[in-house]
Amino acid sequence: MPAMRRARSAKSAAMALGLICVAFLLSVTMRAQQAQEDTGAQGLEATYHALWTARALDNSPPSSHLFLPTITERPSPQREVKWGLTVATPGGSYVYTSFPPLGFLLPELALGWRAGSISFSELVYFNFVVGLIAAFAMAGLARAAVLSILDDSEESAVTGWIVFGLAGVLYLFLRESLGSHGGVYWPHSLAQLPLILGSWCAFGIFQGRRIVRNIVGLGLACLIYPSLEWTGFIFGSGVFLALASMLYTSLRTGQPAAPSRGQIIVALSVVLAATVAAGLGIILHYVLAVGLGPLMEAFASRASARTFRLSAAMRLPLGYFISFGALVPLALLALHFAIKRRWFFDNRPVWLLLFVTAFPLLENVVMMQHASEFSFDRLKGAVPLLLISMLVLTAERLARNVLVVTGLAGLVIASNLQIWSWDLLFYRPWGDAVRDNETIVRQFKQDPLAECAVHGSLGPVRGYLNLLLDRDIHEKTDEKTLISVASRQRDCGAVLIKTENVFTDLPRVQWIAVYDAKGQLLRTYSGS
């Protein structure tokens, strides 16, 4: 009998794993056009920014940027080429303080074995793989959660694998996953891994299982997550609060706990030490590069720009629906049923897990402007939404009802694919702009002054324009200022670029003007 049970469980596991793999391949096929820059997406400018940062890190001396997210490919203290709210290092690199560096270094390390800089398509396919790993991790966490509310039977084991497959497939086909694990790469994509795996380790501690292994894993998550994205500090705080509540309950009731009080204290200490170490390490890293004063000014400036706005408060709820479609009302309905019917109320680890996965969403409230504008900042919301849905589906004994599961999964997937199709339609003009820009730049690259002249733009500069021209570019400048810079730096001439935004930070080049060192206009390149 045990052999038959293992065989049936293995068959269910193979089917669930296969289902996720097939869904992943289908999702990659759907998104192939993004890898070729044939269409745009909300937040696509982030991918170009990440690519330019990776190229600048690769092509400039480490002593100038200390591996911080730089936007300067050819740094020099005598050549100030900055854009955005970057801060200068003594070596002439301009670095961003809005995010830690690990999310830019890891793609470079993962893809750095090949010659040359990372291409757009390579970074997108790297992001696809990150999404697949996150989907498997999400599936595993959902399975672990539902098994904790089921008895130890053959039927429960099969139900666990059904939930595994369902959670993994739904994660892959969420509109936010299709984008933020696709054409839109930013550290938030990688940050899903320590969020999900760290929550899984925390859940194991809450259950009193494999304590040493889970404490080590949780400590690593609390160290790595903040090094990828600031939300990691909120995640660490949430885990600390959850463990502290367990310790308080144990002390108040006087009952022996699983885990023991000593184990909880060790876990608390590890979480605190890892989170504090990550914070001190990041601050020290930046202080060594730019100094404490400029760093604090930059932190304060970005914090004030990204915090609460009334308009953002109105857009954010809609943003969640755009990111997750019908999963949002489904999860809210599931939460209502869980509270009303008191499902798994006696299962404290489950509620602590839900708390730990939902607590990072506090960052979306604190940095509301950012979360409403950049949808990848909402990607972390997929974890608690899927968890509560899978738990209630199991508690209501519906997880094995083929009609119900197929209907609900179809509704969630269909709603997300519909939103995704609207995205593709709305951002389609970006593909045309990319081809037009490349045509103008190919003509300009034949100019004898293209390589030796200083470059500047009348408007703002972000990563895409740098990548297109393959060089550092002064932003928000004009003809006289740029020619003055060329004269001071003894460059052979000046190149002034006029652009217009097709979408936010995704520009179409209108013309490129070439001047000699004396300020005489020589040639102008423009589209048809």
Side-chain angles (χ1 to χ4, degrees), residues 253-274:
T253 61
Q255 296 175 352
S260 68
R261 293 169 191 167
Q263 291 170 331
I264 297 175
I265 291 172
V266 171
L268 277 167
S269 302
V270 169
V271 168
L272 180 62

Side-chain angles (χ1 to χ4, degrees), residues 243-265 268 348:
L243 290 168
S245 74
M246 288 187 72
L247 182 61
Y248 172 77
T249 300
S250 175
L251 293 172
R252 183 173 59 86
T253 61
Q255 296 175 352
S260 68
R261 293 169 191 167
Q263 291 170 331
I264 297 175
I265 291 172
L268 277 167
R348 184 177 177 85

Side-chain angles (χ1 to χ4, degrees), residues 51 54-55 58-59 104-126 467:
L51 274 171
R55 184 171 299 185
D58 193 38
N59 294 340
F104 305 94
L105 294 172
L106 286 180
E108 182 70 21
L109 292 172
L111 302 172
W113 53 270
R114 345 95 51 251
S117 300
I118 302 173
S119 69
F120 183 90
S121 60
E122 287 172 335
L123 184 57
V124 171
Y125 278 103
F126 170 81
L467 288 165

Side-chain angles (χ1 to χ4, degrees), residues 77 110 193 211 243 312 315 477 510-511 519:
L193 302 183
I211 297 296
L243 290 168
R315 294 198 308 270
T477 188
Q510 294 184 299
W511 49 256

Side-chain angles (χ1 to χ4, degrees), residues 16 19-21 23 135 139 164-174 413:
L19 182 63
I20 293 175
C21 289
F164 182 96
L166 181 60
V169 170
L170 289 180
Y171 184 88
L172 286 170
F173 283 107
L174 294 175
I413 291 173

Side-chain angles (χ1 to χ4, degrees), residues 65-66 71 100 103 113 164 192 218 232 239 265 321 339 348 398 404 452 491 519:
H65 53 67
L66 301 184
I71 53 95
W113 53 270
F164 182 96
Q192 288 293 96
L218 181 58
V239 173
I265 291 172
F321 183 78
I339 295 172
R348 184 177 177 85
L398 296 174
V404 171
C452 59
D491 293 310

Side-chain angles (χ1 to χ4, degrees), residues 43-157:
L44 183 63
E45 66 272 17
T47 308
Y48 294 112
H49 188 144
L51 274 171
W52 180 248
T53 297
R55 184 171 299 185
L57 286 167
D58 193 38
N59 294 340
S60 58
S63 59
S64 69
H65 53 67
L66 301 184
F67 298 102
L68 290 170
T70 177
I71 53 95
T72 312
E73 186 181 31
R74 301 169 188 173
S76 169
Q78 288 74 44
R79 290 174 177 260
E80 298 181 356
V81 187
K82 68 170 293 185
W83 49 257
L85 297 175
T86 50
V87 182
T89 69
S93 288
Y94 281 83
V95 299
Y96 259 104
T97 58
S98 302
F99 24 79
L102 190 59
F104 305 94
L105 294 172
L106 286 180
E108 182 70 21
L109 292 172
L111 302 172
W113 53 270
R114 345 95 51 251
S117 300
I118 302 173
S119 69
F120 183 90
S121 60
E122 287 172 335
L123 184 57
V124 171
Y125 278 103
F126 170 81
N127 206 15
F128 287 164
V129 174
V130 173
L132 176 62
I133 298 171
F136 277 125
M138 183 69 243
L141 178 59
R143 177 176 177 269
V146 300
L147 286 178
S148 73
I149 65 172
L150 296 172
D151 57 15
D152 183 21
S153 67
E154 180 181 344
E155 298 302 315
S156 296

